[in-house]
Amino acid sequence: MTPRRLLLAAVSGLALLAGPLSGAALAQTAATAQPSDPWPQAASDIPADPAVRFGQLPNGMRYAILRNATPPGQASLRLRIDAGSLMENEDQLGLAHFMEHMAFNGTTNIPENELLRILERLGLAFGADTNAATSWDQTFYQLELPRTNDETVDTGLRIMREQVSEALMEADDIDAERGVIEGEERTRNTPGLRSAKAQFALLAPGQRVSQRFPIGDLEVIRTAPRQRFVDFYNAYYRPSRATMFAVGDFDVDVMEEKIRSAFESWEPKAPDGPEPDLGQVAPREEETRILVEPGVQSSVQLNWVANPDRDPDTVAERRSRILRGLGLAVLNRRLGEIARADNPPFIAAGASSNTLFDSIDISTLTANFNPGGLQRALETAEQEQRRLIQFGVTEAELQREITDTRTSLENAVAAAATRSTPGLVNGLLTATNDDRVFSTPQTNLEIFNAAVDGLTPAQVDAAVKPVFEGQGPLALVVTPEEIEGGEAAVTSMLQASEATAVTARVAQAATEWPYASFGTPAQPTERRELTEVGATLVTFANGTTLVVKPTTFRDEQILMTVRTGIGELGMPTDQVQAQTLAGFTFAAGGLGKLTADELARVLSGRIFGASFSTDGDAYQLAGATRPQDLALEMQLLTAYLTDPGLRPAPFEQIKAVFPQIIAQQSATPGGAFAIQSSGLLASGDARQTFPTAEQVAVFTNDQLKAQVTNGLSQGPISVVMVGDVTVDDAIAAVGSTLAALPARPAAPAPLPGSDALRFPAGTSTPVTLTHNGPPEQALGYIAWPTTDQIADRTEARTVGILADVLELRVLDEIRERQALAYSPGVESSASEVYPGYGSIFVNAQTTPENLGAYFTAIDVIAASLRDTPIDEDELNRARAPTIEALRRSQAGNEYWLGQLEDVAARPETIQQTLTHISDLEALTPADIQAAARKYLVPEKAWRAQVTSANAAAQ
């Protein structure tokens, strides 16, 4: 369902027909059919993006086509069906989603299993490029086309047409897919999903939205006969409910004709399915519920509910949302500052207001806290929300939010010409599903500027006040442990807080940016063109190097990294260190002269960013900005390098929450494996081992600060900059910051033994690990040691294609034939730091009973790859999607930022980058078999299984 459906029903002209229709009547209906929804702009004063061609076929199918050449030569297709789980009958629960699966399992003109193979030969990977999704209110199919030639486009459109009008749904194929759906249900049955179900049940009791989670009912999934699938398919998979979105580097006229040719002969096979009765929002008083769910993040919600907002998307409606959004932004910033203070009452908190699937309006105030912290979290969040309502926003706060929002919108306008094709097609899909006009960035900016022109705090106060005036509050506490006193105690806490008077917020002092100068700007001592990759290498007197690659991939985007030190090579292999937590705390610790919140205030209206990571051989700062803020961004990164705040508050906060992180991870097989296997797969190396709660408990911020600042203070600085930048501007920005610093000490020598990682010895019997989730959930993992990609990447690339071939066979056998797992994964990795360290692994979530069959199947597949050469077709189906994904990534700044990382120190990597595609294209079936014989050695395979610690109790 979409927000304006009921309001615009008359405009759509849709008639619900009773009784069967003859073929002639159906044909006549198709010839004059109207879509289930009109385009949102039909009832709006907001102009749609004029570059989009909106159209409709005689059978009622709609389409939206937009030419876009970022990346060049590619296209994105989405085919939306205006139906989801809300349309299901009681005996069809889960069939909307099940039907999505069946659309890939054989059609009138495409045999079962052939659909994906056709697309793979064209370079589309299952999952990444070929996928589908089902929600409450829609189902959509997606294709990411690597080329826009006739063969690729025509094939993609033909397949989509077959999926939505010609699915066979053979009974045997349905039966074969039931296990896959059960596996998906098992995989998705997480504490988060169970919490969401509890929230929906509290907020929308008796309404369809709380009773129609798309995964459905297992009993229906296991037993539904074929006819129920056919009934749903014929009722809702029909042209009047379909919309095709096509965005890419093509001629719009040509694409329009191709869509017409592919879809205009589609006719409905049965009467249109009825629109569901979404139910009414029930009258509510204050109410409290508690969900005890082991492994979940402790949180408390205060919810207010109201009838859904189905007003059309108009300028007036957007102004109302803008004002409300500004008020909520002020509240969220206040809550964020509280969370980042010393001894905070909650880990994080925030407020939002949304319409849920055209069924109910929900305003929510949420606070996440550590066990035992419920009362402080509840009181602080509730009182801060009330403080906003009672005393309003200040002029300074309002102007800050206006400035930041306007800056973002202005940046979107400046970058509009190079928006990504997948982003645009998803924007069209989302706007249509939400009944919002797909407007240009310029229109969005103009509407915003008009809305805030002369805006006063009092007007924002009036707009945000109704957010918390719905029926309620309905309190929901989600906790991994029992709450003493139960719901009555929570209600008492809330009432006591509501009775507590609040006072106006104290104004914050103004701050100035104190990091504008780092010494006399430096000039390059050497400048060398790296013509093969379109980059320039610049060296400065203090040893700083800069590699800059100007691109036209995306306007107004500059990405950069700053690397120094030796990273993990300077860390002991037998001791977990406090700096393991630096990635969580570094940016949040702010700078020496500014807290993180002061930094955000003083840089309001600017585009900037900073993140920190510890790599195998360096510490890295990363940032993103736009051309006009480049100098500021480099000042920021230089300040983080030379004067990081590393304050104790974020450190103490992560220490306090760490037991919950482990508990949450341990609640699922995948999460439990991730934390427990981290050290095992490195033969116990402490640098790779996820720390325990006990180890973290004794860490101190002083330890972390000393370790990180010492690591950042030694070794030359290497800068890589890619994007909408000139070489001269990059030189000036680095020359006045990092290159202006005094010469730095040489990088320290690696600690003894730190330059090696060892893969564990093979295991004939799987290592058994445990998780704390449901007993029916288990995970199987098998990995083989391979090689690195330090000097020569060719061998690692061969291993990567071997992994791709292995994945094709695993999906075919483990998912399709035996239905042992919903989403088995196969990946390869190769270290750029540690000689000889790499692996191919296969993992899958399954049931404990199926673990034996899973391991046997993987062994059989590996043996077949060793013993029998693959054919050319299988090699191409594995290789083509990898090559096309590589070509797509090469048209983005992110790819080149990574590829140029080591160029200053290792110029030979340039050639390795240039030969990537040719290396893959040169591979033969014999190469893959040779790699399988070399690496998929049974005796070297490391196996593990994760089963539930609750199985025995069950």
Side-chain angles (χ1 to χ4, degrees), residues 672-725:
F673 179 78
I675 62 174
Q676 295 176 45
S677 69
S678 57
L680 295 175
L681 288 168
S683 299
D685 192 308
R687 297 170 298 174
Q688 313 302 319
T689 302
F690 197 87
T692 65
E694 292 75 20
Q695 289 171 323
V696 169
V698 298
F699 290 161
T700 69
N701 190 59
D702 287 342
Q703 291 173 334
L704 181 148
K705 190 169 187 177
Q707 291 161 2
V708 171
T709 54
N710 180 63
L712 288 175
S713 65
Q714 304 176 74
I717 299 169
S718 172
V719 184
V720 178
M721 192 178 299
V722 178
D724 187 6
V725 63

Side-chain angles (χ1 to χ4, degrees), residues 621-912:
L621 292 164
T625 189
R626 58 182 175 176
Q628 71 186 73
D629 290 328
L630 176 59
L632 171 70
E633 175 66 27
M634 292 312 303
Q635 292 170 6
L636 174 67
L637 294 181
T638 306
Y640 266 116
L641 178 70
T642 60
D643 190 28
L646 293 170
R647 289 175 171 78
F651 179 81
E652 293 302 326
Q653 187 172 358
I654 194 63
K655 278 185 64 174
V657 78
F658 211 80
Q660 282 205 88
I661 293 175
I662 292 177
Q664 290 162 37
Q665 290 290 99
S666 299
T668 65
F673 179 78
I675 62 174
Q676 295 176 45
S677 69
S678 57
L680 295 175
L681 288 168
S683 299
D685 192 308
R687 297 170 298 174
Q688 313 302 319
T689 302
F690 197 87
T692 65
E694 292 75 20
Q695 289 171 323
V696 169
V698 298
F699 290 161
T700 69
N701 190 59
D702 287 342
Q703 291 173 334
L704 181 148
K705 190 169 187 177
Q707 291 161 2
V708 171
T709 54
N710 180 63
L712 288 175
S713 65
Q714 304 176 74
I717 299 169
S718 172
V719 184
V720 178
M721 192 178 299
V722 178
D724 187 6
V725 63
T726 67
V727 175
D728 288 343
D729 285 347
I731 290 173
V734 174
S736 63
T737 53
L738 295 168
L741 298 173
R744 292 159 56 86
L751 294 181
S754 66
D755 58 351
L757 276 184
R758 292 184 298 107
F759 196 83
T763 55
S764 56
T765 301
V767 173
T768 298
L769 309 174
T770 60
H771 67 90
N772 296 325
E776 67 271 15
Q777 294 180 346
L779 180 143
Y781 180 95
I782 181 169
W784 299 265
T786 57
T787 188
D788 63 74
Q789 57 173 338
I790 298 172
D792 184 358
R793 302 176 190 173
T794 307
E795 181 76 357
R797 289 166 179 172
T798 302
V799 171
I801 298 301
L802 170 61
D804 293 335
V805 174
L806 179 60
E807 182 173 31
L808 291 181
R809 297 199 177 186
V810 165
L811 286 170
D812 187 58
E813 185 66 28
I814 301 299
R815 175 184 164 117
E816 298 302 329
R817 294 193 183 187
Q818 297 193 41
L820 297 176
Y822 159 64
S823 184
V826 181
E827 291 185 29
S828 67
S829 66
S831 176
E832 297 178 346
V833 176
Y834 301 106
Y837 192 76
S839 69
I840 291 177
F841 72 81
V842 185
N843 72 345
Q845 292 198 36
T846 184
T847 64
E849 297 78 16
N850 283 332
L851 283 169
Y854 165 77
F855 284 115
T856 298
I858 299 300
D859 288 340
V860 170
I861 294 171
S864 71
L865 291 173
R866 293 192 302 267
D867 299 341
T868 308
I870 65 174
D871 60 33
E872 195 70 31
D873 179 66
E874 187 172 20
L875 173 58
N876 286 332
R877 289 193 295 110
R879 174 174 53 191
T882 297
I883 290 176
E884 296 303 339
L886 178 58
R887 286 198 175 108
R888 185 159 50 237
S889 64
Q890 287 176 341
N893 292 325
E894 293 82 358
Y895 171 84
W896 290 104
L897 189 71
Q899 291 299 307
L900 298 175
E901 181 178 282
D902 294 329
V903 163
R906 298 167 54 201
E908 69 274 9
T909 60
I910 291 177
Q911 189 61 28
Q912 296 283 314

Side-chain angles (χ1 to χ4, degrees), residues 453-487:
D453 185 26
L455 186 66
T456 66
Q459 291 172 305
V460 173
D461 296 343
V464 78
K465 185 176 181 180
V467 170
F468 305 104
E469 289 183 339
Q471 302 178 64
L474 308 175
L476 174 65
V477 177
V478 180
T479 170
E481 57 187 31
E482 297 286 347
I483 300 296
E484 184 177 354
E487 294 172 352

Side-chain angles (χ1 to χ4, degrees), residues 411-475:
N411 204 52
V413 171
T418 54
R419 290 173 290 176
S420 76
T421 286
L424 283 165
V425 81
N426 289 332
L428 276 164
L429 174 69
T430 300
T432 301
N433 192 54
D434 292 345
D435 281 327
R436 301 280 178 85
V437 178
F438 185 80
S439 47
T440 66
Q442 181 64 41
T443 296
N444 298 338
L445 175 61
E446 290 170 358
I447 291 174
F448 177 81
N449 281 336
V452 301
D453 185 26
L455 186 66
T456 66
Q459 291 172 305
V460 173
D461 296 343
V464 78
K465 185 176 181 180
V467 170
F468 305 104
E469 289 183 339
Q471 302 178 64
L474 308 175

Side-chain angles (χ1 to χ4, degrees), residues 925-944:
D927 294 328
I928 301 304
Q929 185 181 19
R933 288 175 172 174
K934 182 176 181 179
Y935 295 114
L936 301 184
V937 179
E939 295 75 22
K940 293 185 178 181
W942 188 84
R943 297 171 171 84

